[in-house]
């Protein structure tokens, strides 16, 4: 969540995260309406997924993307953007707008591996998968849209339907395999080792295993990750090797360009951006706003520039955001928030309940919005941050005692951080270092500013625990900035 007062953003449905294969002959072509659609959605996508990450890394991604696009038959027709989020993902939308996250840059290890991801996404564009998937996703979300059609509130629609919109967009296995085949052929045309596609799948699989083993991220806690919408089975990795062999090229006959890739990611921001605060498991803390809260067990948090997305058991969902505190105080803030949220929808707004939460003035309001399918129960809590800002939760939940207890626990967890606690929340970066003569994986991992140091180091560098470290070998570690 960024510092700016961006409380409620428009609902996004046009994400085409990938999720299948069998290649055939295509004539790459992008229609004018697709270009217009992509251009219109581009700012909204950036707003929803962390904004663009600028600098040398972004320039590198754009240049590599253009090389891949030209090999795919789409020269100077695509826009490649590095997105400022630690979620490991890449996706494409109609008009050949292709996005890759900095989280993904952190876990792959060569230019050829990154090229394979961009080539795969370009394959979806060449085969028109993103357009067809978008239409299916729109139909799949009609139940969510019904909330907005009945209540008249786009904001209620967005909160009620965020999970349905963001966690169900998948390509078929056939489409995925087709994009694999097109991407591997494109890699060879672009001058990269096509066997790097299998290496890339391996890197993503290692990341998934690491997260699963360390409970680093629950399956539902992020905007859909590439490997969740692209099933990373051993069969798929082996299939990528067979497809690469079918090009007639020997492994390593074309370069992977590891050195320039490591040069590029040296200094890359790793993990959450401090301007959006830090999500660690069920905990959120913002060093600049000096605020924090903890979600109950079973809940997951996802950082985004507009808000912290909150998902709980049994359909509980919502978000945490903030804005300027008006001169009339916290009650005026809540009234304006409710008005923007409901947008004229028929609703019963309960009386505000004032309290102190960990010494912070707070107001809690219950709202019941009417729909044809029944009432939607909302719970809103707002807090006076003491610095001219207010912060709030908006939660939708079923009318059950368990949901009420969980939301009360969430609301009571809001707290202010001391200057010392805020100062301890430091951003982290990738540091590319050369191993010394006496270095081992364990000694290098000990320098990591992360939990599960050795496992994290091995995952980040695509290494096995028994592989010796050569003197002078360059590896990635994560350090505080």
């Amino acid at each position: 969540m960024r510092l700016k007062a961006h409380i409620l953003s428009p609902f996004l449905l046009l994400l085409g995260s990938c999720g299948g294969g069998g290649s055939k002959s295509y004539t790459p072509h992008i229609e004018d309406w697709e270009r217009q659609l992509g251009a219109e959605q581009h700012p909204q996508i950036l707003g929803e997924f962390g904004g663009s990450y600028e600098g040398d890394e972004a320039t590198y991604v754009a240049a590599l993307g253009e090389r891949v696009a030209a090999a795919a038959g789409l020269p100077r027709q695509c826009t490649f953007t590095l997105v400022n989020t630690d979620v490991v993902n890449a996706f494409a939308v109609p008009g050949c707008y292709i996005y890759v996250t900095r989280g993904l840059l952190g876990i792959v290890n060569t230019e050829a591996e990154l090229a394979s991801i961009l080539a795969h996404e370009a394959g979806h564009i060449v085969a028109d998968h993103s357009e067809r998937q978008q239409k299916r996703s729109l139909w799949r979300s009609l139940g969510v849209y019904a909330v907005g059609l009945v209540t008249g509130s786009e904001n209620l629609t967005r909160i009620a339907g965020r999970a349905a919109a963001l966690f169900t967009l998948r390509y078929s296995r056939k489409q995925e395999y087709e994009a694999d085949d097109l991407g591997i052929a494109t890699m060879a045309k672009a001058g990269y080792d096509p066997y790097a596609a299998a290496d890339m799948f391996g890197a993503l699989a290692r990341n998934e295993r690491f997260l699963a083993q360390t409970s680093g991220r629950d399956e539902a806690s992020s905007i859909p990750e590439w490997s969740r919408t692209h099933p990373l089975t051993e069969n798929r990795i082996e299939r990528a090797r067979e497809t690469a062999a079918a090009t007639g090229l020997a492994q390593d006959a074309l370069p992977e360009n590891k050195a320039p890739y490591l040069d590029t990611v040296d200094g890359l921001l790793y993990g959450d951006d401090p301007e959006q605060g830090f999500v660690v498991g069920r905990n959120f803390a913002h060093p600049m706003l000096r605020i924090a809260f903890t979600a109950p067990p079973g809940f997951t948090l996802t950082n985004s520039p507009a808000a912290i997305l909150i998902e709980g058991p049994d359909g509980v969902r919502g978000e945490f955001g903030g804005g300027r505190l008006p001169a009339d105080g916290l009650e005026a803030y809540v009234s304006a928030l409710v008005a923007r949220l409901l947008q004229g929808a028929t609703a019963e707004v309960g009386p505000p309940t004032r309290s102190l939460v960990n010494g912070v003035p707070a107001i809690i309001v219950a709202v019941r919005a009417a729909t044809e399918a029944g009432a939607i129960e909302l719970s809103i809590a707002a807090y006076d941050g003491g610095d001219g800002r207010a912060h709030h939760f908006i939660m939708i939940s079923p009318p059950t005692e368990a949901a009420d207890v969980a939301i009360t626990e969430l609301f009571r967890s809001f707290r202010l951080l001391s200057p010392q606690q805020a100062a301890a929340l430091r951003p982290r970066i990738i540091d590319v270092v050369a191993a010394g003569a006496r270095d081992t994986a364990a000694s290098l991992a000990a320098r990591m500013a992360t939990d599960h140091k050795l496992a994290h180091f091995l995952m980040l560098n695509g290494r096995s625990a028994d592989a010796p470290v050569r003197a002078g070998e360059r590896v990635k570690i994560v350090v505080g900035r």
Side-chain angles (χ1 to χ4, degrees):
M1 185 182 67
R2 288 197 188 280
L3 290 166
K4 61 185 180 182
H6 187 171
I7 295 176
L8 295 170
S9 62
F11 184 59
L12 175 67
L13 259 181
L14 294 178
L15 171 65
S17 265
C18 300
S23 65
K24 52 187 175 183
S25 178
Y26 288 101
T27 302
H29 180 67
I30 299 174
E31 301 284 351
D32 289 342
W33 70 266
E34 293 177 304
R35 299 182 200 281
Q36 181 178 351
L37 178 62
E40 290 173 353
Q41 293 303 313
H42 182 64
Q44 190 176 357
I45 289 172
L46 292 183
E48 194 78 13
F49 295 105
S52 60
Y53 188 87
E54 304 296 338
D56 293 342
E57 299 92 343
T59 302
Y60 177 85
V61 168
L64 178 59
E66 178 54 36
R67 178 173 174 177
V68 167
L74 296 168
R76 297 177 298 281
Q77 297 184 62
C78 301
T79 300
F80 293 87
T81 304
L82 180 59
V83 183
N84 186 24
T85 176
D86 68 324
V87 172
V88 175
N89 202 6
F91 54 93
V93 300
C96 202
Y97 280 75
I98 294 176
Y99 303 84
V100 58
T101 66
R102 61 173 171 80
L104 188 148
L105 257 64
I107 68 164
V108 298
N109 285 287
T110 70
E111 187 171 291
E113 289 181 24
L114 178 57
S116 72
I117 292 173
L118 299 176
H120 178 99
E121 299 302 334
H124 282 306
I125 295 294
V126 169
D128 286 331
H129 293 163
S130 59
E131 178 190 345
R132 283 181 269 161
Q133 183 64 12
Q134 174 194 331
K135 292 175 180 176
R136 283 196 296 273
S137 300
L138 288 170
W139 282 106
R140 187 184 294 118
S141 301
L142 283 180
V144 170
Y145 264 109
V147 176
L149 291 173
V150 173
T151 65
S153 170
E154 292 182 1
N155 295 325
L156 282 180
T157 304
R158 179 181 51 77
I159 295 174
R162 188 183 296 275
L166 296 182
F167 298 127
T168 60
L169 304 186
R170 298 167 189 250
Y171 289 128
S172 69
R173 179 180 299 178
K174 179 174 182 288
Q175 288 173 326
E176 275 303 333
Y177 285 157
E178 194 167 24
D180 287 350
D181 295 345
L182 289 168
I184 289 170
T186 295
M187 287 180 66
K189 291 178 184 176
Y192 290 104
D193 185 354
Y195 295 86
D199 296 336
M200 175 272 293
F201 286 137
L204 293 168
R206 284 191 299 272
N207 179 60
E208 282 300 293
R209 288 195 297 270
F210 170 76
L211 294 177
Q213 292 166 1
T214 62
S215 300
R217 188 184 296 273
D218 185 88
E219 180 172 349
S221 70
S222 70
I223 292 162
E225 296 178 13
W226 207 86
S227 51
R228 299 207 184 281
T229 50
H230 303 60
L232 292 173
T233 64
E234 288 299 321
N235 287 342
R236 189 169 183 198
I237 296 173
E238 183 57 34
R239 186 181 184 280
R241 293 192 183 99
E242 293 172 356
T243 304
T247 65
L249 293 166
Q251 190 163 358
D252 298 325
L254 294 176
E256 292 202 27
N257 292 354
K258 183 171 184 175
Y261 187 80
L262 292 178
D263 290 341
T264 298
V265 299
D266 190 15
L268 178 73
L269 182 65
Y270 189 85
D272 286 325
D273 187 328
E275 288 192 3
Q276 297 179 21
F278 297 97
V279 169
V280 180
R282 295 183 290 112
N283 298 288
F284 171 75
H286 201 301
M288 298 179 181
L289 300 179
R290 287 177 52 190
I291 59 174
F293 68 84
T294 301
F299 278 62
T300 57
L301 306 177
T302 300
N303 211 341
S304 83
I308 305 303
L309 315 182
I310 304 169
E311 295 281 335
D314 302 320
V316 177
R317 62 172 61 98
E319 64 183 35
F320 176 82
R324 301 304 304 175
L325 184 66
D328 293 339
L330 195 57
E331 195 158 332
Y333 177 87
V334 172
S335 296
L337 178 64
V338 170
R340 282 194 294 271
L341 178 66
L342 297 178
Q343 295 180 336
T346 301
E348 299 176 13
V349 181
T353 301
R354 291 184 171 273
S355 65
L356 283 177
V357 175
N358 298 313
V360 180
I363 289 180
I364 298 175
V365 175
V367 178
R368 173 174 290 192
T371 76
E372 289 181 351
I376 294 178
E377 306 282 344
L378 296 101
S379 300
I380 299 173
Y383 310 83
D384 184 345
D387 57 354
R389 292 187 60 85
H391 311 280
H392 67 264
F393 293 99
I394 303 171
M395 301 299 298
I396 293 178
S397 65
T400 65
E401 182 178 355
D404 290 343
V405 169
I407 290 175
T408 298
E409 182 181 345
L410 173 68
F411 288 175
R412 289 178 177 172
S413 74
F414 180 86
R415 59 197 180 275
L416 302 181
L417 299 175
S418 69
Q420 294 78 15
Q421 289 171 322
L425 298 169
R426 298 175 57 199
R428 297 172 297 170
I429 61 171
I430 289 178
D431 187 20
V432 177
V433 299
R438 296 185 178 181
D439 268 326
T440 64
S443 67
L444 290 165
R447 299 160 61 179
M448 297 271 288
T450 66
D451 296 330
H452 312 287
K453 295 178 185 294
L454 180 58
H456 203 161
F457 172 81
L458 296 174
M459 181 278 293
L460 204 62
N461 291 281
R463 306 181 64 91
S464 61
D466 56 355
V469 177
R470 304 186 308 274
E473 181 180 359
R474 299 172 75 201
V475 295
K476 296 178 292 184
I477 60 174
V478 176
V479 299
R481 186 167 65 185

